Amino acid sequence: MAVSDNPPPLPQAVGYAVVLGLGIVFALAMNVTTWIQARFSKYKPNSASEFSAASRSLKTGLVVAGIVSSWTWSLTLLQSATQSYEMGVSGGWWYAVGGTLQIAIFSVIASKVKMNANRATTFPEVAYARFGTAGHLSFLWCGLICNAIVSSCILLGGGAVVSTLTGMNEYAALFLIPMGVAVYVATGGLRATFISDATHTFFLLAILLYFCFEVFCVSDVIGSPRKLSELLEAVAKTTPVDGNYQGSYLTFRSRPGAIFAVQSIITGFGLVMCDQGYWSRAIASNPATTARAYFLGGFAWFSIPFACGTALGLTARALETQPDFPVLSSTDVSAGLAAVEAVNYVLGTAGSVLMLLLIFLSVTSALSGEMIATSTLLSYDIYRHYFRPRATSKQIVGTSRIFIVFWGVFAGSLASVFKLAGITLGWLFYFLGVATASGVFPIALTFLWKDLNREGAVAGSIFGMFLALIVWLATARAIGGEITVDTLSNQWASFAGGATAIISGGVLSITLSLLRPANFDWEKTRNLIVVKEVEIDEDRDGSSFSSNGVPSSVVADVLEVEKKSDPLIIDVDSLPRSTNDAAGILDAKLDMTVLEKTFKRYTLIFGFLALIITIIIPVPLGAAPYVFSPRFFAGTVGFMFIWLLFAAFLVVILPILESRHALWKIILQVVKHKY
């Protein structure tokens, strides 16, 4: 049965055709792409470095596409519309701000990742180098908790939409969706997810642009920003927003909007810092372009939730003036179905099909990133770290593929448990900040501050989480009189828990470290290396070289040093000088001066962006007793369209421009091989 009580507009067979058929077709397409890559390029997915970190060589455009895609879950599309549906135009804006700030600030942190831990594969690896096993397990716990909740969010949102639009059994969707994704991720690794991201995001943006044009330019019911503003004025008279100026949906003077702004920012910080997917992309990108890619990724992503909130969320609320528009229950709204019903009403069957494709693409793309991220944590930080410290590249890749399939089954099971307990997409969104925000300061400072010590890192991340959970539960009981699923999703309870998480994590980590500064030597993390990544092959002329092009004599010296040291950390300076000079892949000299300048430059750029989107634009609008005029609202819609088109350029055109020479070379090789 569908989540919504309304009959599904599409037959059940369509749901299975999309989930199974389209999933299989896309998996085959990605596997063909992976085969072409392995056959006609220098990047081989059987290498652990390529499988888990894309050989640290990705260019700006592909990383931007990966960031936009991985952050555009079903939650992004549905919850941003829900926030605008419930609290007005400020809801979509603040949802977008909450994610954009965190992605953009990663442009600053990414520079430090390249400077201080360029050889790391996961962020818990750096915690091990700095804080030992206690720090490693603490950060690993934060990462796995984050990935589990995010994966469940992605599947719950996708399953609810598929079920609502087609009548497909939602539990079946929760298990079948990740299976198709697992096929191409397990075959191609991280680079396959980036290629998948770029492909998915192209169609996603095209569909979203079509929705926006239809709503604001074509629709008989709405057709213009002025008409939408008139309908919103009418619905505000019958269903005003409690806490908004004059109960209007077209004002930034909103008490629930202000509360949500803080919640969104806290949740976003927790997700970005604790999600290995973002660290994977920082590690995988070219050092010269990492910061730029993250900044542009955040900038481009902003347009998607802002457009969903403005075009779909407000439209759903405005359509309540129409007598034949379906009545949405609180459960429907919490499940993110306001946007779905709006599209279905405006566009009919065509809209339902496109909405189904939109959500399916966002789910599979975001889930692919979560799968490769989690498999990297499980294979590197559990399998290699605690069970097989001297694992080879081949063993790590094989284990990663097993964990990808495992995570697909686990995520489907966990999402099913949440659904059975009555937990919806909206509930998990509010819980995310509570569960993840305690790790923000400890994890970020691990890369930024040499004086962070083990006690501060562990206490901030773990005890901060426990404190947040206690405050969350206590606030829910104090407000609702009991602890239930409904009281735990109360906005104030979630606000209290999330604020406690990020504040306690910061206070504990900084205070304990100031009492006993670590004064950490960054050379220890700069010399992190996966020694067994280098495996010896025979070159065509009979010379012995590693799989990464390093002479076998160099590998022998490295392995000799490994026997006398921790297999997870090695000091490259302990190698013979000739070996150290020859092993470019192992010693990866970076221009620290350039990276330091990049760090300072993007710190200023990020500060400027944050000032504009959190203060300069929304604060005057929120401080003034102002309801958007039809003309001002039309300008806002025009601003939305420009931003969406610019995002399309960054995600679709830029990757092709940057890779045109490599693509042309591969095409020539394919043609030459064929003929």
Side-chain angles (χ1 to χ4, degrees):
M1 181 181 291
V3 172
S4 174
D5 292 330
N6 304 310
L10 300 173
Q12 191 176 93
V14 174
Y16 284 98
V18 169
V19 171
L20 289 176
L22 192 59
I24 292 172
V25 168
F26 198 81
L28 289 173
M30 286 299 101
N31 277 281
V32 170
T33 303
T34 300
W35 178 83
I36 293 173
Q37 169 200 324
R39 178 68 177 82
F40 299 104
S41 79
K42 63 181 179 180
Y43 301 115
K44 313 301 179 187
N46 288 327
S47 159
S49 176
E50 170 65 16
F51 189 88
S52 300
S55 301
R56 296 168 169 82
S57 63
L58 295 176
K59 296 181 179 179
T60 302
L62 207 53
V63 177
V64 169
I67 292 167
V68 171
S69 180
S70 64
W71 200 230
T72 306
W73 333 333
S74 51
L75 181 71
T76 301
L77 303 171
L78 302 177
Q79 190 65 28
S80 58
T82 298
Q83 297 303 141
S84 290
Y85 174 85
E86 292 187 322
M87 62 186 62
V89 67
S90 68
W93 177 273
W94 286 122
Y95 188 101
V97 168
T100 296
L101 284 181
Q102 283 59 259
I103 303 172
I105 201 174
F106 217 87
S107 65
V108 176
I109 297 174
S111 299
K112 287 295 184 180
V113 172
K114 290 300 183 183
M115 290 174 64
N116 297 328
N118 188 45
R119 297 191 185 105
T121 302
T122 69
F123 69 90
E125 280 185 336
V126 182
Y128 174 74
R130 288 200 59 173
F131 315 121
T133 301
H136 180 256
L137 290 175
S138 298
F139 282 23
L140 181 59
W141 171 255
C142 290
L144 291 176
I145 287 292
C146 180
N147 288 138
I149 298 174
V150 169
S151 298
S152 298
C153 270
I154 293 169
L155 288 175
L156 277 176
V161 171
V162 172
S163 177
T164 299
L165 291 176
T166 69
M168 179 181 178
N169 183 281
E170 192 168 344
Y171 292 103
L174 294 178
F175 281 99
L176 292 176
I177 290 173
M179 290 302 98
V181 179
V183 172
Y184 70 80
V185 175
T187 305
L190 185 61
R191 193 178 297 271
T193 69
F194 275 98
I195 297 170
S196 162
D197 290 344
T199 308
H200 278 134
T201 309
F202 167 75
F203 291 105
L204 187 150
L205 284 170
I207 294 172
L208 185 55
L209 277 166
Y210 173 69
F211 285 165
C212 292
F213 276 111
E214 185 69 29
V215 167
F216 290 112
C217 304
V218 180
S219 170
D220 294 333
V221 181
I222 299 176
S224 70
R226 175 176 289 275
K227 180 63 175 179
L228 180 58
S229 66
E230 291 173 356
L231 292 174
L232 289 170
E233 288 177 8
V235 80
K237 296 176 181 178
T238 57
T239 315
V241 183
D242 184 24
N244 277 22
Y245 177 66
Q246 296 182 355
S248 175
Y249 292 89
L250 292 173
T251 181
F252 263 69
R253 194 179 180 92
S254 169
R255 184 179 67 245
I259 297 170
F260 176 69
V262 178
Q263 286 180 296
S264 180
I265 292 171
I266 290 173
T267 298
F269 271 119
L271 285 174
V272 170
M273 292 301 164
C274 295
D275 192 338
Q276 170 61 26
Y278 292 92
W279 296 98
S280 292
R281 284 164 170 78
I283 292 165
S285 59
N286 189 308
T289 61
T290 304
R292 183 193 315 145
Y294 267 87
F295 181 81
L296 291 176
F299 190 81
W301 179 84
F302 185 100
S303 64
I304 295 175
F306 182 50
C308 286
T310 304
L312 303 183
L314 293 181
T315 295
R317 181 61 79 176
L319 289 174
E320 291 184 350
T321 59
Q322 308 301 306
D324 56 341
F325 184 72
V327 176
L328 295 171
S329 67
S330 59
T331 302
D332 295 335
V333 174
S334 182
L337 298 180
V340 177
E341 294 296 348
V343 170
N344 184 42
Y345 185 88
V346 172
L347 291 170
T349 303
S352 299
V353 172
L354 288 174
M355 193 67 183
L356 181 62
L357 290 175
L358 180 71
I359 297 300
F360 179 77
L361 291 172
S362 71
V363 167
T364 53
S365 184
L367 191 61
S368 68
E370 292 304 308
M371 282 184 170
I372 194 68
T374 310
S375 74
T376 302
L377 287 176
L378 295 174
S379 58
Y380 277 82
D381 291 289
I382 294 181
Y383 169 74
R384 187 179 76 93
H385 196 109
Y386 294 106
F387 295 96
R388 195 178 289 271
R390 302 182 191 279
T392 64
S393 175
K394 183 178 180 180
Q395 289 171 328
I396 291 173
V397 171
T399 306
S400 294
R401 286 170 171 154
I402 294 172
F403 282 133
I404 285 169
V405 176
F406 161 76
W407 194 253
V409 176
F410 174 81
S413 303
L414 183 60
S416 298
V417 171
F418 282 141
K419 173 168 173 51
L420 195 62
I423 293 173
T424 61
L425 186 70
W427 193 100
L428 279 180
F429 174 76
Y430 284 116
F431 176 63
L432 278 169
V434 179
T436 62
S438 63
V440 170
F441 280 98
I443 294 172
L445 293 176
T446 297
F447 295 86
L448 299 174
W449 191 33
K450 65 182 178 63
D451 287 333
L452 180 67
N453 62 23
R454 179 180 59 188
E455 292 76 16
V458 174
S461 57
I462 300 301
F463 289 110
M465 183 185 294
F466 288 146
L467 286 174
L469 292 172
I470 291 170
V471 170
W472 176 54
L473 293 169
T475 307
R477 183 182 179 116
I479 293 175
E482 58 181 342
I483 296 176
T484 65
V485 170
D486 290 335
T487 59
L488 288 173
S489 65
N490 178 274
Q491 192 178 41
W492 283 109
S494 303
F495 175 83
T500 300
I502 196 168
I503 292 172
S504 61
V507 169
L508 287 170
S509 59
I510 294 173
T511 302
L512 292 175
S513 298
L514 288 175
L515 292 175
R516 193 166 63 87
N519 194 26
F520 182 74
D521 181 7
W522 291 115
E523 289 303 316
K524 293 181 180 179
T525 52
R526 288 168 185 160
N527 289 340
L528 276 172
I529 188 167
V530 183
V531 177
K532 289 290 188 178
E533 179 71 14
V534 188
E535 297 174 349
I536 301 174
D537 297 321
E538 291 296 320
D539 200 6
R540 293 176 181 175
D541 62 1
S543 302
S544 185
F545 282 80
S546 77
S547 57
N548 286 321
V550 180
S552 60
S553 59
V554 171
V555 178
D557 287 333
V558 172
L559 297 180
E560 183 62 31
V561 173
E562 181 201 20
K563 295 176 183 177
K564 305 174 183 178
S565 61
D566 188 333
L568 304 177
I569 305 173
I570 186 169
D571 186 355
V572 177
D573 291 334
S574 64
L575 296 171
R577 181 174 180 82
S578 60
T579 301
N580 202 340
D581 292 339
I585 187 64
L586 302 180
D587 200 19
K589 296 295 185 181
L590 299 172
D591 191 330
M592 294 297 174
T593 303
V594 172
L595 287 174
E596 183 64 32
K597 289 181 179 178
T598 300
F599 171 74
K600 293 178 180 178
R601 182 188 311 121
Y602 278 93
T603 299
L604 293 175
I605 294 174
F606 166 76
F608 183 66
L609 175 66
L611 186 66
I612 291 176
I613 64 176
T614 61
I615 305 295
I616 293 177
I617 292 177
V619 169
L621 289 174
Y626 177 66
V627 175
F628 286 15
S629 67
R631 187 173 181 178
F632 189 88
F633 183 62
T636 303
V637 171
F639 175 71
M640 176 203 74
F641 272 111
I642 293 171
W643 209 324
L644 264 179
L645 291 171
F646 181 66
F649 168 79
L650 290 176
V651 171
V652 179
I653 306 301
L654 184 59
I656 296 174
L657 289 176
E658 287 185 326
S659 303
R660 62 189 183 279
H661 298 302
L663 290 172
W664 181 244
K665 184 178 180 180
I666 289 175
I667 291 171
L668 290 178
Q669 289 190 48
V670 170
V671 173
K672 182 179 179 181
H673 177 76
K674 184 176 180 180
Y675 297 103

